[in-house]
Amino acid sequence: MTKKQNEKTQKITGNLAEIEEFMKKRVGLGESFDLGVRKIKVLRKDVNVYYINGLCDTEFIIELLKELVDLNDQERTNYNIFPVIENRLVNQSVSPIYTLDELVDQVLSGLVVFLVDGVEEGLVVDVRSYPGRQPSEPDTEKVVRGSRDGFVENIIVNTALTRRRIRDERLRFEIMKVGERSKTDIAIGYIKDVANPDLIATVKEKLQSIKTDGLTMADKTVEEFMVRPGYNPYPLVRYTERADVGSAHLLEGHVLVYVDTSPSVIIMPTTFFHHVQHAEEYRQSPAVGTFVRWIRYIGIFASLFLLPLWFLFVMEPYLLPERLAFVGPNDETNIHILIQILLGEVGVEFLRLAAIHTPTPLSTAMGLVAAVLIGQIAIDVGFFVGEVILYVSVVTVGTFITPSLELGVANKIARLFFLLAVALFKVPGFIIGITIYILFLVHMRSLKTPYMWPFIPFNPKAFLQILVRRSVPGSKIRPSIVHPRNRYKQP
């Protein structure tokens, strides 16, 4: 057995001096200013309290210490004071620990540990008070009407927001720690009589198999370990910062993964069509929701194929009917159209990244400078053809229409692939490029789930629900793709 394995199985000896020495060597007690120990005497017994400043609520700790110190005036000396102390720790979450590794993990997680001299176990009290913001509406998933509370960086708050919407006794949140050094809390959320047990077991197995130092990038790191996307740009899981969206997927039979320090929740499994739906569709009437959905589909389709199709017509004007003969650049330019398109795409990415890094009060001014000065002057001096700017702008708007940021960026990479295929092989390149693209999507799997379901393999009823936003009373069956244990939403 290695030294590290021996520390993990080393029991609490009851010798407080040895434990304090262990904490000094292992955790840096006395070196790290935020790690502290409070020593008190209770009924002639030494009691040590270990804590981390900043992760604990100081007022709660003071109240607990008062309760213990008051024992000296109210109780007689008792050789077995451990049950008395446990009874006086007035908190809803008090649990025992038996190993030094548990002691370290609990203290570093923000809990308080009470150790009594001569007792070979400790008591863990949950008085955590993590720094963070209050729930607010997510910037990436805004709705005109609807709730304004969204997930935050605190896993406890996030699970509570879900509990508030699903008050079912079968809702489960199983927690574990991942990361050898970060020991990040990860919770798996599911409804026991709805979610597929095999799916739950698969998610647990993949989380438990993660071997890494830490999850500083939180949910994104978890995703890369679980689905192994490699250099595939298309998202294999869906993120949401809205508690109502996460709750809706739980009721459908999906499994949610909550990662502490992340305001996003991972929904598993998902398909391509999960990434093109938005909560706004379900905050409107079915007719309006269907209209909004189709407008969004048209925007996503345009972001993929409009620019390559226009470029194909520029390369092969004979493909255009006479009524559309005006399509294409009317002015001659010294720069090839493909170069102009690529420069336009890169310029839009410059603007997007600049908007991310620009303070909010200055972002509007930055956008005006980019749109009015750079764009117009580039056309006036002949560097760009006006039509190139037009189509690049249209496909950019289509990219922003895409509800999933990850899908929008992936579609941009696919669009560049189509452009290169058209530039090299013209009409055959366009056709072959689309064929390769469809085969690529069809071949993809997310936790053994076909990425293009219900289009391929085709499921008529499910595909109809993708095209038309049905009313809630008319949607009685859960999606078969998650293999729910209970198919019917409404008993």
Side-chain angles (χ1 to χ4, degrees), residues 49-292:
V49 185
Y50 290 95
Y51 57 89
I52 290 281
N53 279 323
L55 298 182
C56 303
D57 192 314
T58 304
E59 292 184 4
F60 284 164
I61 299 177
I62 292 173
E63 289 298 323
L64 293 175
L65 292 176
K66 283 182 179 178
E67 287 288 332
L68 296 185
V69 173
D70 286 346
L71 285 174
N72 294 323
D73 301 326
Q74 300 172 5
E75 298 283 343
R76 295 181 179 179
T77 303
N78 191 331
Y79 290 106
N80 189 14
I81 70 166
F82 191 78
V84 179
I85 291 178
E86 183 177 8
N87 188 56
R88 283 302 184 101
L89 293 176
V90 285
N91 188 281
Q92 78 278 8
S93 178
V94 180
S95 56
I97 57 171
Y98 303 95
T99 65
L100 294 176
D101 190 64
E102 288 179 299
L103 167 63
V104 173
D105 287 349
Q106 298 292 358
V107 170
L108 295 180
S109 296
L111 291 87
V112 175
V113 177
F114 288 79
L115 298 176
V116 181
D117 189 28
V119 180
E120 297 182 351
E121 64 178 294
L123 292 173
V124 178
V125 184
D126 191 349
V127 293
R128 284 177 288 189
S129 179
Y130 290 160
R133 59 189 174 92
Q134 293 299 312
S136 58
E137 185 176 17
D139 290 333
T140 56
E141 297 178 89
K142 291 185 176 180
V143 293
V144 177
R145 295 188 184 277
S147 62
R148 306 297 177 190
D149 59 338
F151 292 128
V152 294
E153 290 76 13
N154 190 323
I155 190 173
I156 305 298
V157 175
N158 292 344
T159 54
L161 288 173
T162 307
R163 284 276 186 195
R164 188 179 178 188
R165 288 168 169 80
I166 304 179
R167 302 176 183 180
D168 187 359
E169 68 273 14
R170 289 153 291 197
L171 176 61
R172 300 287 186 269
F173 291 112
E174 299 186 26
I175 197 164
M176 63 181 70
K177 292 184 185 295
V178 176
E180 183 63 30
R181 296 183 186 275
S182 68
K183 296 180 174 62
T184 305
D185 290 321
I186 297 181
I188 306 170
Y190 61 91
I191 299 179
K192 191 171 184 180
D193 67 331
V194 175
N196 185 356
D198 292 337
L199 174 62
I200 299 170
T202 301
V203 173
K204 287 182 186 177
E205 180 184 350
K206 288 184 176 294
L207 287 174
Q208 291 167 351
S209 65
I210 295 177
K211 304 298 181 186
T212 184
D213 271 358
L215 303 177
T216 52
M217 293 294 113
D219 48 4
K220 189 59 184 175
T221 306
V222 172
E223 176 205 343
E224 293 185 5
F225 272 103
M226 293 187 70
V227 297
R228 304 282 180 175
Y231 287 96
N232 177 8
Y234 277 86
L236 297 176
V237 301
R238 181 183 178 184
Y239 293 100
T240 184
E241 295 184 39
R242 295 189 62 90
D244 50 3
V245 172
S247 301
H249 282 82
L250 280 175
L251 292 172
E252 288 185 350
H254 293 264
V255 173
L256 268 57
V257 177
Y258 299 75
V259 183
D260 195 27
T261 73
S262 171
S264 301
V265 166
I266 301 174
I267 301 173
M268 308 179 81
T270 54
T271 66
F272 179 89
F273 296 101
H274 281 100
H275 296 278
V276 298
Q277 297 182 18
H278 193 271
E280 180 68 20
E281 300 164 8
Y282 295 90
R283 291 290 182 177
Q284 305 288 345
S285 66
V288 176
T290 301
F291 174 74
V292 171

